[in-house]
Amino acid sequence: MFSTHLPLAVRYADLLATDGVVRGLIGPREVPRLWERHLVNCALLGRAIPEGTDVCDIGSGAGLPGLVLALARPDLSVTLVEPLLRRTAFLDEAVQALGLDNVEVVRARAEELHGHREFSVVTSRAVAPLDRLLGWSMPLVREGGALVAMKGSSVQEEIVTAKTALRRYGAGAVTVVEYGSDLIDPPTTVLRVEATRPSRLGLDALRPSRSARRATKSPTPRTSRTKKGR
């Protein structure tokens, strides 16, 4: 699954099992099941993402799924968005230790990027119910792209609950696919929401949101590490 990057994936798993636990990013009970529950689970998300795509992973935490995607799919350009300093510090160190040049770490809330950035795919894992996730993700998705989120067994209920929000954000096709039933139990459940409208690129930058106006810090996201060529 990780092909030639398998040694790097092993090293990342070691980082999660050591520094990740010490810093409170991964619970000690998760260490024995890091591969099945986290690395393989997240790598399977890559099957839902087209080749050569620019990806924004919101609420990256310890790098799940964004950093795993960057390891499993070196063709992707991955931006990890995480507001907490202790998490972005870990992500920066992990990216440097693994020598990844297709990853950018940005310390910000997703909504702080509205109007400043756009991507073909916005991913997430266990960040929020769909109705809230749409509000954070869809303004970042360029037209023709998609929200691609890892979800649990209640995904169909979330879709029903988010019916109004789906209309509000101009959602196109909404699909749910399971990957890896032959590899892990339970398999990875992926929700894909097509974007039929342009992102907010340039709009919110000119007219900041109410939350951004109230913020004590600048709404411009803080980039910790920039991928080569930017």
Side-chain angles (χ1 to χ4, degrees):
M1 181 173 294
F2 290 94
S3 189
T4 58
H5 277 193
L6 181 58
L8 292 181
V10 171
R11 191 172 181 186
Y12 174 55
D14 289 341
L15 288 173
L16 289 175
T18 53
D19 287 357
V21 172
V22 171
R23 299 186 188 191
L25 304 180
I26 291 288
R29 295 182 180 179
E30 297 301 307
V31 173
R33 50 186 183 179
L34 274 176
W35 282 94
E36 179 177 351
R37 187 180 177 92
H38 299 289
L39 273 76
V40 174
N41 181 252
C42 291
L44 287 165
L45 181 65
R47 297 184 180 181
I49 300 175
E51 186 175 354
T53 299
D54 56 328
V55 177
C56 175
D57 183 49
I58 66 171
S60 291
L64 305 167
L67 193 50
V68 176
L69 286 174
L71 287 167
R73 293 282 306 278
D75 60 292
L76 301 178
S77 173
V78 181
T79 298
L80 308 177
V81 178
E82 168 57 50
L84 295 185
L85 177 59
R86 65 186 177 90
R87 294 175 179 171
T88 55
F90 172 82
L91 292 172
D92 274 325
E93 293 168 18
V95 168
Q96 183 174 5
L98 299 172
L100 298 176
D101 62 3
N102 62 330
V103 180
E104 174 188 11
V105 178
V106 176
R107 185 185 168 207
R109 298 187 304 273
E111 57 267 36
E112 290 181 288
L113 273 66
H114 293 176
H116 298 281
R117 303 286 296 272
E118 69 172 6
F119 305 87
S120 295
V121 172
V122 175
T123 61
S124 59
R125 181 196 193 207
V127 169
L130 180 57
D131 53 354
R132 275 190 286 153
L133 189 62
L134 288 164
W136 296 335
S137 302
M138 295 304 278
L140 295 172
V141 184
R142 63 172 55 93
E143 187 174 4
L147 175 160
V148 180
M150 298 176 68
K151 284 292 181 180
S153 58
S154 63
V155 61
Q156 295 295 345
E157 297 174 15
E158 289 190 40
I159 293 172
V160 172
T161 302
K163 189 177 298 184
T164 299
L166 288 166
R167 288 196 298 268
R168 181 187 310 134
Y169 291 103
V174 179
T175 57
V176 177
V177 180
E178 289 188 346
Y179 296 103
S181 58
D182 57 331
L183 297 173
I184 56 175
D185 184 22
T188 299
T189 300
V190 177
L191 168 69
R192 185 181 187 277
V193 179
E194 180 186 6
T196 64
R197 297 176 184 172
S199 72
R200 296 289 298 176
L201 184 63
L203 298 180
D204 292 312
L206 297 174
R207 185 178 61 186
S209 66
R210 183 178 302 175
S211 60
R213 291 196 298 268
R214 290 177 177 174
T216 57
K217 296 181 180 180
S218 169
T220 303
R222 303 165 290 281
T223 302
S224 301
R225 179 182 176 87
T226 305
K227 124 181 147 120
K228 291 181 180 179
R230 290 202 176 184

